[in-house]
């Protein structure tokens, strides 16, 4: 994976299907790493499908979010169950 700025601000657009059922809405995060952690540790697996993370005008889908979380450069501590 190319260099990713985990400290850049991020916007999270939840899956429409999940947003309707769980009342989760668009969110802004001061750091992309926090948005990624939210996706991986707070959203159920079904909620990640269709979710889009936007960082510096680049968009990342659920699979990309998983890869960013698993990347060695991810700066935050991971939930042991997800590591």
């Amino acid at each position: 994976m190319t260099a990713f700025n985990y400290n850049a601000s991020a916007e999270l657009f939840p899956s429409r299907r999940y947003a309707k059922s769980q009342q989760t809405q668009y969110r802004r995060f001061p750091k992309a790493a926090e948005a990624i952690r939210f996706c991986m540790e707070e959203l159920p697996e079904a909620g990640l499908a269709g979710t889009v993370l936007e960082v510096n005008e680049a968009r990342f889908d659920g699979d990309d979010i998983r890869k960013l979380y698993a990347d060695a450069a991810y700066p935050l501590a991971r939930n042991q169950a997800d590591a």
Side-chain angles (χ1 to χ4, degrees):
M1 183 163 278
T2 61
F4 179 83
N5 185 355
Y6 287 96
N7 291 316
S9 63
E11 297 176 280
L12 183 65
F13 301 89
S15 159
R16 287 183 186 163
R17 182 181 311 156
Y18 181 75
K20 287 181 183 178
S21 66
Q22 300 296 318
Q23 299 180 5
T24 299
Q25 299 178 4
Y26 162 87
R27 290 183 66 175
R28 287 187 58 85
F29 290 84
K31 294 185 177 184
E34 295 169 1
I36 293 166
R37 178 173 51 193
F38 174 80
C39 289
M40 296 303 299
E41 297 180 10
E42 302 294 326
L43 290 180
E45 185 69 25
L48 193 55
T51 293
V52 174
L53 177 69
E54 187 171 319
V55 180
N56 293 330
E57 298 183 14
R59 291 180 169 244
F60 302 90
D61 65 14
D63 289 336
D64 296 329
I65 294 167
R66 279 188 200 92
K67 290 174 187 173
L68 289 167
Y69 185 74
D71 192 282
Y74 180 74
L76 303 177
R78 292 174 186 84
N79 181 341
Q80 291 300 319
D82 295 325

